[in-house]
């Protein structure tokens, strides 16, 4: 099961890379930069990461077909775009788990303060 899943994910990643390599040069450069950023800060598990990258490829495919300028896709701040895009895929992100753990710890302390 684990090996089969890994092989499937590797095939999906190769299809994704093939798709992005077929984009016009400027779209390809932009999506590679976003991919690099999202690999560091995106979902930690392969399935969620692949879903996110495939959706990003869909966005860039459609934008290239419509000749939408890169700035119209990502806006003036590419980091803000990447962060907003990444937030749509919260499953498996270590930062989300840490944010939930922090919130839970502070809520617990606050509840105890009220009862004492």
């Amino acid at each position: 099961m684990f090996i089969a899943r890994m092989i499937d994910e590797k095939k999906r990643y190769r299809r994704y890379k093939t798709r992005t390599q077929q984009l016009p040069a400027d779209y390809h450069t932009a999506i590679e930069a976003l991919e690099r950023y999202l690999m560091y800060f995106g979902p930690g598990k392969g399935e969620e990461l692949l879903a996110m990258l495939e959706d990003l490829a869909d966005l860039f495919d459609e934008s290239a077909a419509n000749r939408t300028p890169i700035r119209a896709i990502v806006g003036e701040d590419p980091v803000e775009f990447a962060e907003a895009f990444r937030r749509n895929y919260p499953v498996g992100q270590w930062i989300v788990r840490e944010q939930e753990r922090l919130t839970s710890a502070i809520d617990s302390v606050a509840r105890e303060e009220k009862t004492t």
Side-chain angles (χ1 to χ4, degrees), residues 1-15 44-50 54:
M1 289 295 222
F2 178 72
I3 299 291
R5 186 172 48 88
M6 285 186 60
I7 290 170
D8 181 56
E9 288 176 354
K10 191 171 233 174
K11 286 179 182 176
R12 285 176 61 193
Y13 184 71
R14 285 185 181 145
R15 283 193 301 267
K45 294 189 177 181
E47 175 63 32
E48 290 95 19
L49 179 63
L50 284 168
E54 289 166 346

Side-chain angles (χ1 to χ4, degrees), residues 30-115:
I31 199 168
E32 278 208 336
L34 284 163
E35 176 189 332
R36 179 179 168 83
Y37 183 89
L38 293 169
M39 289 282 216
Y40 279 108
F41 301 108
K45 294 189 177 181
E47 175 63 32
E48 290 95 19
L49 179 63
L50 284 168
M52 181 177 61
L53 293 176
E54 289 166 346
D55 288 348
L56 187 65
D58 289 344
L59 174 65
F60 273 74
D61 277 343
E62 186 176 321
S63 298
N66 295 329
R67 298 184 182 184
T68 305
I70 298 297
R71 283 287 178 199
I73 302 168
V74 302
E76 289 302 315
D77 185 353
V79 174
E80 183 179 311
F81 170 81
E83 287 296 316
F85 192 82
R86 182 182 62 83
R87 281 191 293 272
N88 292 319
Y89 303 89
V91 177
Q93 292 183 16
W94 65 269
I95 192 70
V96 172
R97 287 191 302 270
E98 292 304 318
Q99 290 169 340
E100 290 171 354
R101 186 174 295 153
L102 173 62
T103 300
S104 175
I106 298 301
D107 288 347
S108 177
V109 170
R111 276 192 303 273
E112 288 181 23
E113 284 180 342
K114 284 183 180 178
T115 58

